Amino acid sequence: DFVLPALRITESDLFAICIAEKVLVQYRNTPIFEKLTGVFSKLEAYLPEKITVHPSALEERLSFFPEASTRIDPEIWATAFKALRAGHTLDFRYKIPTSDSAYDNRLDPYHAVGYRGEWYLIGRCHYKDALRVFGLSRIQRASVSDDAFRVPEDFDFHSQWHNHFGIITSEEEHEVRIRFTPDQAPYVKERDWHPTQTFEELPDGSTIMGFSVPHLFEVKRWVLTYGKGAKVLAPPELLEMVKDELEGALGSY
């Protein structure tokens, strides 16, 4: 326990705190949600009565819509992050959604990342003896072992995932080209989807978006959200993946 010194807070600082408190809702499936909301409550309690902006003033005027989140057992969360902080191997039981049974595994957790409502551990999987990604919500039980490890010097999360399109990665490289119809092109161009993205404008108002990714699975899912407004031009593997998915979906109807 310790005490923070007195801080000078401007109106813009306070407004930023108000925004941050609302954004916390995206962490509601983790134990840090309660801890962080507790911190904000303490900050609010120490604010003077007469201030220009009060955190509660934005309650009815500002909202944040988070991604649909998974359910993570608080004890598993705490155990996983204890192993991450201490640099000790994590023993755990894991169940893949497509499998009927769970299996035991060991992981040297190098890094944790939150992505679209799920939290993932990245590290050396003892079962595969390779770098793997595991979803915390899929861990059924976990314990911190006495075995210590060191993060390899050549592991750099930011350099290895710099061109990701989702959480999945690999050593491959795919040059993706997707044509968006004139009615969808403006919506696609107004966002930063990928650090390598480029746009080629066509005479009819459509646009061809290009980017480079190490994995195509989540690109396929993204393309499908645009329906007939998007057409894959390259690579051929992605075109076939989208085509097979659309044919399968049509067969369900």
Side-chain angles (χ1 to χ4, degrees):
D1 293 335
F2 59 92
V3 178
L4 291 174
L7 300 175
R8 178 181 175 83
I9 299 179
T10 65
E11 182 179 344
S12 60
D13 293 335
L14 182 58
F15 186 74
I17 292 174
C18 297
I19 300 294
E21 186 176 17
K22 301 293 289 187
V23 173
L24 282 179
V25 69
Q26 66 182 311
Y27 301 110
R28 67 187 187 278
N29 67 330
T30 71
I32 61 173
F33 176 73
E34 292 184 2
K35 291 185 178 296
L36 288 175
T37 50
V39 171
F40 279 101
S41 296
K42 291 178 181 178
L43 286 174
E44 184 177 344
Y46 280 100
L47 293 175
E49 294 183 4
K50 293 183 179 181
I51 53 177
T52 307
V53 181
H54 197 278
S56 60
L58 294 182
E59 186 64 30
E60 300 300 327
R61 304 185 67 181
L62 177 68
S63 295
F64 180 85
F65 290 165
E67 294 273 358
S69 59
T70 58
R71 292 179 292 276
I72 299 175
D73 186 320
E75 292 187 7
I76 289 178
W77 166 282
T79 302
F81 275 81
K82 181 179 179 181
L84 181 72
R85 292 193 307 269
H88 279 231
T89 299
L90 182 73
D91 293 314
F92 65 100
R93 189 163 182 77
Y94 198 74
K95 185 179 184 304
I96 301 173
T98 55
S99 176
D100 294 330
S101 58
Y103 67 96
D104 294 325
N105 201 350
R106 309 191 81 207
L107 176 73
D108 297 339
Y110 298 163
H111 199 88
V113 58
Y115 177 69
R116 291 190 172 181
E118 173 66 288
W119 283 84
Y120 298 90
L121 285 178
I122 300 170
R124 185 177 76 89
C125 167
H126 286 221
Y127 182 74
K128 294 285 188 179
D129 192 23
L131 194 68
R132 288 291 185 271
V133 180
F134 295 91
L136 275 181
S137 66
R138 298 170 184 170
I139 296 179
Q140 297 183 343
R141 65 170 180 262
S143 62
V144 181
S145 76
D146 294 328
D147 300 329
F149 68 89
R150 288 189 177 183
V151 178
E153 293 183 2
D154 60 351
F155 174 79
D156 186 340
F157 173 80
H158 298 289
S159 65
Q160 290 178 251
W161 265 264
H162 74 283
N163 65 337
H164 75 99
F165 201 98
I167 193 64
I168 303 174
T169 189
S170 71
E171 296 181 357
E172 298 181 63
E173 198 72 20
H174 302 278
E175 296 298 328
V176 176
R177 285 171 57 82
I178 304 166
R179 179 170 180 167
F180 291 92
T181 55
D183 62 318
Q184 294 299 320
Y187 299 103
V188 175
K189 291 187 293 183
E190 70 181 3
R191 297 197 180 194
D192 292 328
W193 299 99
H194 196 271
T196 67
Q197 70 185 38
T198 59
F199 293 103
E200 177 186 344
E201 306 298 332
L202 301 180
D204 65 350
S206 59
T207 187
I208 296 177
M209 179 182 182
F211 52 91
S212 177
V213 293
H215 204 280
L216 296 173
F217 177 74
E218 293 186 68
V219 179
K220 178 199 74 172
R221 287 187 167 183
W222 178 68
V223 170
L224 289 169
T225 64
Y226 285 92
K228 65 179 182 180
K231 180 181 179 180
V232 175
L233 303 180
E237 311 97 280
L238 179 60
L239 190 151
E240 289 301 318
M241 289 167 67
V242 172
K243 183 179 177 181
D244 290 345
E245 193 71 32
L246 289 172
E247 289 176 346
L250 185 61
S252 299
Y253 292 89

